[in-house]
Amino acid sequence: MNENKNPVLSVVVPAYNEGPALAEAAGQFRLALEASDIAYELIFVDDGSEDDTWTQIMGLAREDERVAGVKLSKNFGKEGAILAGLAHARGKACALIDCDLQHPPEMLAQMYHIWRAGGTDIVEGIKNSRGKEPILYTFFSNLFYFLIGRTGNVQLKNASDFQLLDRRVVDIIINLPERQRFFRALSSWVGFNRKQVRYDVKPRLSGKSKFTGIRSTQYALNNIASFSSAPLQVVTITGVIFLLFFLGLGIHTFARWLTGTAVEGFTTVILLLLIIGAMLMISLGVIGFYVGKIYEELKGRPAYLVEDRVNVQGE
């Protein structure tokens, strides 16, 4: 039987400027899967790389028909690459794993067997630790997970994109109408039966993380906005607090005026105007951010565009 025609497991691998690591990563993925006699396909998604990532993918696909590739027309971000990989996957289950080998390939077989035993729709990879990363980055990551857990009702502490999903879960996620996606939260939001496996984050195979400080901040803000309206509620709550504060201050000032002990001068007035102005600008910024997200959704542009494919069904 040609395993590539009937893969049981599709392994989706987003790749952005990962050319030097592709051959080693593909070798370790295949070794881990073949050791457990799993019928599989590897789907590498080139997310608009600027190096030879696509050339490497095509070379791997020529050598092994179980390796498929999808080249996006530009860099759509990891969420777009994940969606593209899931949309092209044909397996009865789909696993997501990073190309930099920080997710241990040997755990793919363990996750597969948990799913294969039945009764489990999602097998989640949970980090024992975050590995070696700057303390400041760890702090803001934990802050992000705390905020989205409290406001978006999804618990993501130590969660990752390293997951295995049953086909019915994959189909649901693919068919969700929203454009701004956060896969890690969506896979938690859909529910279904799930189990967890724990792993230690390994050092990157090569290169540096593509998430710079600016990109990480944008990523966090976009995902909080896509999963929670809490910032808008904070604006309202802040407005109520200031209303009560100024009401009390107004009563106090009026009482002092009646007794003839009012303090002359404009310092208090100026400070209050500055505070009010700052709060108004921040509030307008929060509202504008959400209006922008609504605008992006209404335009209905796809989450990704495919430029080329190799070894994909129908090609």
Side-chain angles (χ1 to χ4, degrees), residues 189-209:
W189 175 83
V190 296
F192 290 98
N193 299 316
R194 59 186 64 227
K195 289 185 179 179
Q196 297 180 344
V197 294
R198 306 195 71 87
Y199 70 95
D200 294 312
V201 177
K202 295 183 176 181
R204 287 180 59 85
L205 182 60
S206 65
K208 297 180 180 180
S209 173

Side-chain angles (χ1 to χ4, degrees), residues 139-173:
F139 170 77
F140 282 111
S141 295
N142 290 332
L143 177 61
F144 165 68
Y145 289 129
F146 171 79
L147 291 174
I148 202 166
R150 285 299 183 91
T151 62
N153 198 29
V154 285
Q155 299 304 317
L156 299 178
K157 184 174 176 58
N158 294 327
S160 69
D161 294 325
F162 186 32
Q163 300 184 29
L164 185 145
L165 312 175
D166 185 82
R167 167 51 59 182
R168 65 172 176 165
V169 179
V170 172
D171 290 341
I172 288 172
I173 291 177

Side-chain angles (χ1 to χ4, degrees), residues 240-272:
V240 172
I241 292 173
F242 270 79
L243 174 62
L244 295 175
F245 172 72
F246 291 130
L247 181 61
L249 183 61
I251 294 172
H252 174 71
T253 303
F254 183 65
R256 295 195 65 175
W257 178 78
L258 288 177
T259 59
T261 59
V263 179
E264 296 183 358
F266 295 96
T267 303
T268 303
V269 175
I270 292 173
L271 289 175
L272 289 176

Side-chain angles (χ1 to χ4, degrees), residues 33-280:
L33 294 166
E34 289 170 3
S36 295
D37 195 27
I38 299 172
Y40 69 91
E41 65 174 352
L42 293 177
I43 303 178
F44 289 93
V45 183
D46 179 7
D47 187 20
S49 298
E50 299 171 350
D51 63 359
D52 66 341
T53 294
W54 182 242
T55 302
Q56 295 290 332
I57 292 173
M58 289 193 296
L60 292 169
R62 283 194 295 267
E63 297 172 1
D64 188 346
E65 64 177 1
R66 293 172 297 183
V67 176
V70 178
K71 177 177 173 59
L72 304 188
S73 62
K74 66 167 192 155
N75 179 236
F76 285 91
K78 189 175 183 180
E79 302 301 326
I82 288 174
L83 182 60
L86 293 177
H88 287 83
R90 294 175 288 127
K92 295 179 181 178
C94 297
L96 286 166
I97 191 169
D98 285 351
C99 192
D100 56 20
L101 296 182
Q102 288 193 295
H103 299 155
E106 61 272 14
M107 289 193 65
L108 286 171
Q110 179 185 349
M111 299 167 80
Y112 170 83
H113 289 305
I114 292 174
W115 166 79
R116 194 69 171 175
T120 303
D121 298 297
I122 301 175
V123 184
E124 300 175 294
I126 303 296
K127 302 171 185 174
N128 285 323
S129 66
R130 298 189 59 86
K132 294 182 179 179
E133 62 182 18
I135 296 176
L136 193 60
Y137 185 89
T138 301
F139 170 77
F140 282 111
S141 295
N142 290 332
L143 177 61
F144 165 68
Y145 289 129
F146 171 79
L147 291 174
I148 202 166
R150 285 299 183 91
T151 62
N153 198 29
V154 285
Q155 299 304 317
L156 299 178
K157 184 174 176 58
N158 294 327
S160 69
D161 294 325
F162 186 32
Q163 300 184 29
L164 185 145
L165 312 175
D166 185 82
R167 167 51 59 182
R168 65 172 176 165
V169 179
V170 172
D171 290 341
I172 288 172
I173 291 177
I174 290 174
N175 291 317
L176 288 173
E178 61 196 78
R179 309 292 174 183
Q180 302 291 325
R181 292 168 176 259
F182 182 23
F183 171 79
R184 202 174 305 177
L186 282 177
S187 65
S188 175
W189 175 83
V190 296
F192 290 98
N193 299 316
R194 59 186 64 227
K195 289 185 179 179
Q196 297 180 344
V197 294
R198 306 195 71 87
Y199 70 95
D200 294 312
V201 177
K202 295 183 176 181
R204 287 180 59 85
L205 182 60
S206 65
K208 297 180 180 180
S209 173
K210 309 306 184 296
F211 278 94
T212 61
I214 295 176
R215 290 191 66 178
S216 297
T217 301
Q218 292 174 336
Y219 183 75
L221 291 175
N222 287 334
N223 291 329
I224 289 175
S226 68
F227 252 82
S228 172
S229 61
L232 290 174
Q233 298 167 12
V234 169
V235 170
T236 303
I237 294 171
T238 303
V240 172
I241 292 173
F242 270 79
L243 174 62
L244 295 175
F245 172 72
F246 291 130
L247 181 61
L249 183 61
I251 294 172
H252 174 71
T253 303
F254 183 65
R256 295 195 65 175
W257 178 78
L258 288 177
T259 59
T261 59
V263 179
E264 296 183 358
F266 295 96
T267 303
T268 303
V269 175
I270 292 173
L271 289 175
L272 289 176
L273 286 175
L274 289 174
I275 293 172
I276 293 171
M279 289 306 304
L280 285 174

Side-chain angles (χ1 to χ4, degrees), residues 296-313:
E296 292 293 330
E297 289 290 324
L298 289 177
K299 284 191 294 188
R301 292 176 181 171
Y304 64 89
L305 294 173
V306 175
E307 179 180 331
D308 199 3
R309 300 177 179 88
V310 59
N311 279 0
V312 175
Q313 190 178 39

